[in-house]
Amino acid sequence: MQVWKMSIQAFRVSNQTRNRRCLVGLNELSITPASLTQHAALFFSSDSVSKSDEKLKKTFVSRQHKYTVTREDIPKSTKTQRRQSQAAPPSITERKVSSELQKLRFEDFRESETKRILRHIQKESNEEQLEIVFGVAPCLLALTQGRRRLSRLFVKNGEGPQRDAILRVCQEAVRRGVQIQRVSKQTLDKMCGGKVHQGLCLQASSLGFINVERPITSHEVRNDRALWLVLDGVQDPMNLGAILRSAYFLGVDRIASSIQNSCPLTPTVSKASAGVMEIMEVFGYSNLKNMIKVKAEQGWQVVGTVGLEEGNPESPVMPCSDFKMSRPTMLLMGGEGDGLSPELRQLCDVLLTVPPRRNLHPGIESLNVSVATGILLHSLLSTRTGSC
């Protein structure tokens, strides 16, 4: 009886407010619509029921299906409303997609086709001397700079217009007529040897060192405070890439490198340089010694680098902060481990070193070559007062 009093009270509230959720509590009491009708009839058949209650009974029984919802219906309607209310408007990226890119259809490949794709890429690379450039910045700059012959752009599944950086590269590829293909992450991993590709790989021709016979630009002729960075035996591609990035950022006029004992300009170097290798030319020399002698005869100052306790009686050693550029200068950086070769060290007018700011533990007595290069370049270029 207590339950039925609660039911009638709930119905009266629902009848007044027309709120369907008022009778949800009946479901919590495990009273179904059928049992509710049955028990209502029994309850209202009592002799004590008034005429107003009789009218209420009819209304209660006729409308109980309308205002009562089942337990199964509540979660569905609630979830539907929640999904509708939380539906996000189109993202800025989606609105930025050009009509040309929207019409683009990527060719999808199944995982089982990974080997076939890789075989085809390898065959093309061997026949046409192509390589795989990977990473967002290297791919974008390779597309925009026009120094490579472009073949195909590979995009990881699910990385189309969802990311602004990926979208920009795809738009550039469409603009230049480069075919785009969607592949799995596993395929991209194998394309670039497991390196960080950021969802993009570009098949293109390789970049090499600039021929030494190429004439000096008019900018370099006018610049009486030019700084050339000369690399002797830098063999680690990560170091070379970091050096290129620092040199470009700090304003080096030209980069020269030995060819025989140095790292070639590989896609790994491009990735480590954040794509700077696609912009900045690197001049290669089969004989650095002869090139340095020629520049020295033209009035260039030759500056070498050594560790703190290294030295050459014929060349003074000074902290890099004490040196100031007064004329066109060549900064010579040696490779990992051995540093500058003895024959190049003998050509130096002065040797610079980066002094430590603490007592060093044995075995940790030098800087990484890319870090040392960045420090020395900043120190020299901050003293340059001529035209740049």
Side-chain angles (χ1 to χ4, degrees), residues 60 180 198 380:
F60 180 83
I180 302 176
Q198 298 175 295
L380 268 64

Side-chain angles (χ1 to χ4, degrees), residues 56 63 71 109 114 140 162-163 173 218 259 264 289 336 338 355 368 374 377 380 388:
L56 181 62
R63 292 185 180 179
R71 184 186 300 271
F109 294 94
T114 297
L140 178 61
Q162 287 78 13
R163 286 177 51 191
S218 59
I259 295 177
K289 183 177 179 179
E336 303 88 350
D338 297 333
N368 173 277
L377 289 177
L380 268 64
C388 298

Side-chain angles (χ1 to χ4, degrees), residues 341-354:
S341 63
E343 62 177 358
L344 293 187
R345 191 179 299 189
Q346 293 175 358
L347 301 176
C348 296
D349 300 317
V350 62
L351 296 172
L352 301 183
T353 186
V354 180

Side-chain angles (χ1 to χ4, degrees), residues 258-330:
S258 57
I259 295 177
Q260 287 83 1
N261 62 339
S262 296
C263 175
L265 301 180
T266 64
T268 301
V269 176
S270 184
K271 182 64 170 65
S273 71
V276 168
M277 193 188 87
E278 308 297 325
I279 301 175
M280 196 167 192
E281 298 175 334
V282 182
F283 289 75
Y285 295 86
S286 57
N287 193 325
L288 281 178
K289 183 177 179 179
N290 290 343
M291 184 272 291
I292 295 172
K293 283 183 176 181
V294 171
K295 301 306 291 183
E297 292 173 357
Q298 295 174 357
W300 285 59
Q301 188 172 23
V302 182
V303 178
T305 53
V306 293
L308 182 63
E309 304 199 356
E310 297 180 66
N312 185 340
E314 299 178 359
S315 301
V317 178
M318 67 171 63
C320 60
S321 57
D322 294 343
F323 179 80
K324 290 180 172 50
M325 287 180 57
S326 58
R327 53 193 168 119
T329 302
M330 305 182 74

